Amino acid sequence: MMIVMVKRGYLGVPLGRFAEQHDFAKPNDDRALGLMTRSARSVMEALEDVVVAYGQSDEYSFVFKRSSNWFKRRASKLMTHVASQFSSSYVFYWRDFFGEQELLYPPGFDGRVVLYPSNQNLRDYLSWRQADCHINNLYNTVFWSLVQKGGLTTAQAEERLRGTMAADKNEILFSEFNINYNNEPLVHRKGTVLVWKKFDETTTKQIKLPHEEKGKDVVVTRTRTKVVEQHCDLIGDQFWDEHPEVLEGDR
């Protein structure tokens, strides 16, 4: 299986600087997350051999089906096409999510290609990215609660969390800020999964035969596919059981 990963980066500008300069809410900005997902959907609609995509924070991973022959499977072509489509979509849809807020400079996204020989390798990769989402989001949720609600400086919050485990962070959230981490939005805790789904589209058309004076309404049903967004667990078996089309047989 071939995976193309894109991640926000800008020459000479640290990753966090872009978020600061554009006043992203902390610890999560739903506008920014929505824009990332809309850009990812644009990539999937342009490259239909992408069977699943997973995104969190400032990154998205696109999984091409094993039998794909797009660009004769040339890694450089796939990487540049995905990165350019994603970057241009990010700019194109910016106003849909940020309204009149100005985009201060063109954002850039770097890309990389990874090949995994088996379905288990692919599942392990996506599980790793989702686990990374959870670890980072738990830390950021506690960190910014300490700063925004607890009155600590960023340096003090960092020191307070040094050496803490997940249970410690959950305890701080609950005991000091009455926040149950398990009730936080799934999009923040799990990230976003994009998959193709089939839908039956029903329309009514009027058909008039040559020997008839009046036409008659006929109901026509077509099956179409579109990209849908989910915030679900990728580590267990349920997603993979519900979407067997994502994994093609190992060779």
Side-chain angles (χ1 to χ4, degrees), residues 184-213:
E184 291 295 288
L186 283 173
V187 63
H188 301 161
R189 294 189 289 119
K190 299 288 188 182
T192 301
V193 181
L194 297 179
V195 290
W196 292 96
K197 187 174 181 179
K198 292 182 178 181
F199 291 89
D200 287 334
E201 182 180 88
T202 302
T203 58
T204 301
K205 292 187 176 182
Q206 191 172 78
I207 297 178
K208 183 179 180 181
L209 298 176
H211 61 278
E212 295 179 341
E213 294 184 4

Side-chain angles (χ1 to χ4, degrees), residues 179-247:
I179 295 175
N180 185 335
Y181 183 74
N182 291 328
N183 294 334
E184 291 295 288
L186 283 173
V187 63
H188 301 161
R189 294 189 289 119
K190 299 288 188 182
T192 301
V193 181
L194 297 179
V195 290
W196 292 96
K197 187 174 181 179
K198 292 182 178 181
F199 291 89
D200 287 334
E201 182 180 88
T202 302
T203 58
T204 301
K205 292 187 176 182
Q206 191 172 78
I207 297 178
K208 183 179 180 181
L209 298 176
H211 61 278
E212 295 179 341
E213 294 184 4
K214 294 183 178 181
K216 60 179 181 179
D217 292 337
V218 176
V219 176
V220 178
T221 301
R222 291 191 177 95
T223 299
R224 301 186 182 275
T225 57
K226 69 176 184 179
V227 178
V228 296
E229 176 180 337
Q230 299 181 11
H231 309 292
C232 58
D233 177 64
L234 292 175
I235 298 174
D237 293 330
Q238 182 175 347
F239 171 83
W240 305 101
D241 291 340
E242 293 175 351
H243 299 277
E245 73 283 356
V246 172
L247 300 178

Side-chain angles (χ1 to χ4, degrees), residues 49-193:
D49 275 3
V50 175
V51 289
V52 64
Y54 174 73
Q56 52 120 339
S57 184
D58 60 357
E59 68 175 59
Y60 249 96
S61 295
F62 300 90
V63 180
F64 286 79
K65 62 184 181 182
R66 191 186 302 277
S67 59
S68 176
N69 199 37
W70 276 87
F71 304 116
K72 297 183 179 179
R73 298 182 64 83
R74 291 167 60 189
S76 59
K77 279 283 190 180
L78 288 166
M79 180 183 67
T80 54
H81 190 95
V82 169
S84 63
Q85 180 74 25
F86 195 97
S87 299
S88 60
S89 298
Y90 194 91
V91 174
F92 185 82
Y93 293 110
W94 173 268
R95 286 187 178 273
D96 290 355
F97 294 86
F98 285 87
E100 295 303 314
Q101 181 176 331
E102 182 182 1
L103 181 61
L104 301 178
Y105 50 83
F109 291 86
D110 63 24
R112 64 206 70 177
V113 177
V114 183
L115 294 177
Y116 286 110
S118 71
N119 288 334
Q120 188 58 54
N121 292 145
L122 170 64
R123 288 188 57 173
D124 289 345
Y125 169 81
L126 292 175
S127 296
W128 166 52
R129 299 318 306 141
Q130 189 164 68
D132 183 72
C133 173
H134 161 69
I135 292 169
N136 290 336
N137 187 65
L138 176 58
Y139 181 91
N140 289 333
T141 301
V142 184
F143 180 89
W144 288 109
S145 293
L146 289 170
V147 173
Q148 296 169 347
K149 301 176 181 179
L152 299 188
T153 66
T154 54
Q156 289 170 334
E158 184 176 353
E159 183 60 31
R160 172 78 185 279
L161 295 176
R162 192 183 307 277
T164 57
M165 306 298 288
D168 302 320
K169 295 180 178 70
N170 276 291
E171 178 61 25
I172 292 173
L173 283 174
F174 189 76
S175 63
E176 298 186 24
F177 304 106
N178 197 30
I179 295 175
N180 185 335
Y181 183 74
N182 291 328
N183 294 334
E184 291 295 288
L186 283 173
V187 63
H188 301 161
R189 294 189 289 119
K190 299 288 188 182
T192 301
V193 181

